[in-house]
Amino acid sequence: MEETYLWIIFAVIFFTLLLADLLIINRKDQVMGAKRAMKFVALYVAVALLFGILVTFELGEDYAASYYAAYVIELSMSVDNLFVFIVIFGIFMIPADKQHRVLYWGIMGAIFFRALFIIVGAELLANFRFMMYIFGAILVYTAYKTAFGDDDDDDDSQDSLAFKIAKHFRATDDMSSGKFFTIENGKRLATPFFLCLVVIEISDIMFAFDSIPAALSISTDIFIVYTSNIFAVMGLRSMYFVIKDAIGAMEYLKYGLGVILAFIGVKMLLSAANILEVDVTLSLIFIVVVLAITVIASLIHRKSDPGVDGE
């Protein structure tokens, strides 16, 4: 009964933010400055934190700890993924004042696919315990790839599956219409905006294969996992314009994410083998501490490095 009530509250908040974003905040094509974007990031984070307080009162501290842990994990991984989106926009040469529109619909798609993946993942874990070993192994592998993967992989991004799929669309290079599709010589053709959207959407689906198992390692409650994921994803469009101006500042973020993913992967494997159950509150504390150390270390390095320009 409590979750039904909370689902309604979540839906009201979700659609309110969605309509405000579409009809008020970004009604016109424009470049969002970092300061303005930061205000909206703060708004989305505040809403997510307040919703967690509501979860605490209605469902209890354990559920709230799971909610916050899943939220922090998804937000952290999403910030890392935004760097890939910056590369994609550069490849398609999307004008800065049009990027927010592509991001908006990309996030809408992410919200839909995350619902699908969370439901399927939760059902698999509930009915097939061996899936915990598979998810745990995926997380440990992802941890290694995140921390020690080749940073030059982005140079080969045009050879990725997402770009290969995008090449199969009948398209034009003309972006003058500002729309996803245009008419040329009586034919309906996709514009670079749509191709960019396709690549971002497919890339996000691939990211979800890492982030969803991470969230499900914290809780298999669909309400907790989905709401925490969606609140994290909804603020990404504003977060993008903050990260875009601060690219390179979080140099050690990938190592922090690697440690976190390794921790929750091993935690899931130990739980599957009935060896050790790590309290979710301790997991949340560990995740927050690692991220804090990562951010502080990155900022100290940025200030001490003479090769980095000051703000």
Side-chain angles (χ1 to χ4, degrees), residues 58-179:
E58 295 296 331
L59 300 179
E61 293 181 358
D62 288 342
Y63 279 89
S66 297
Y67 166 85
Y68 283 125
Y71 173 76
V72 172
I73 290 172
E74 178 61 32
L75 187 63
S76 304
M77 296 185 70
S78 296
V79 168
D80 193 46
N81 295 338
L82 286 179
F83 289 102
V84 177
F85 293 171
I86 292 172
V87 173
I88 294 172
F89 279 127
I91 291 173
F92 283 101
M93 294 183 289
I94 303 298
D97 63 337
K98 299 290 194 301
Q99 292 177 2
H100 73 90
R101 183 186 306 176
V102 178
L103 282 170
Y104 180 86
W105 291 109
I107 289 171
M108 290 303 99
I111 288 171
F112 169 78
F113 284 112
R114 271 168 169 69
L116 179 63
F117 291 158
I118 288 170
I119 292 172
V120 172
E123 285 298 313
L124 286 174
L125 288 176
N127 294 285
F128 303 100
R129 188 171 178 81
F130 70 87
M131 290 299 300
M132 293 183 69
Y133 291 103
I134 296 176
F135 280 17
I138 289 173
L139 291 172
V140 172
Y141 170 74
T142 303
Y144 175 82
K145 186 176 64 174
T146 300
F148 304 107
D150 188 355
D151 291 335
D152 295 329
D153 285 346
D154 291 339
D155 297 335
D156 302 323
S157 57
Q158 293 190 62
D159 295 325
S160 67
L161 175 63
F163 276 88
K164 289 178 180 178
I165 292 176
K167 290 177 182 178
H168 289 285
F169 289 92
R170 294 168 55 184
T172 176
D173 293 330
D174 184 15
M175 289 189 281
S176 60
S177 68
K179 299 179 179 179

Side-chain angles (χ1 to χ4, degrees), residues 259-280:
V259 171
I260 291 170
L261 290 174
F263 168 74
I264 59 181
V266 171
K267 170 178 172 289
M268 189 172 239
L269 291 172
L270 292 175
S271 176
N274 293 317
I275 296 175
L276 177 67
E277 290 287 344
V278 180
D279 183 77
V280 68

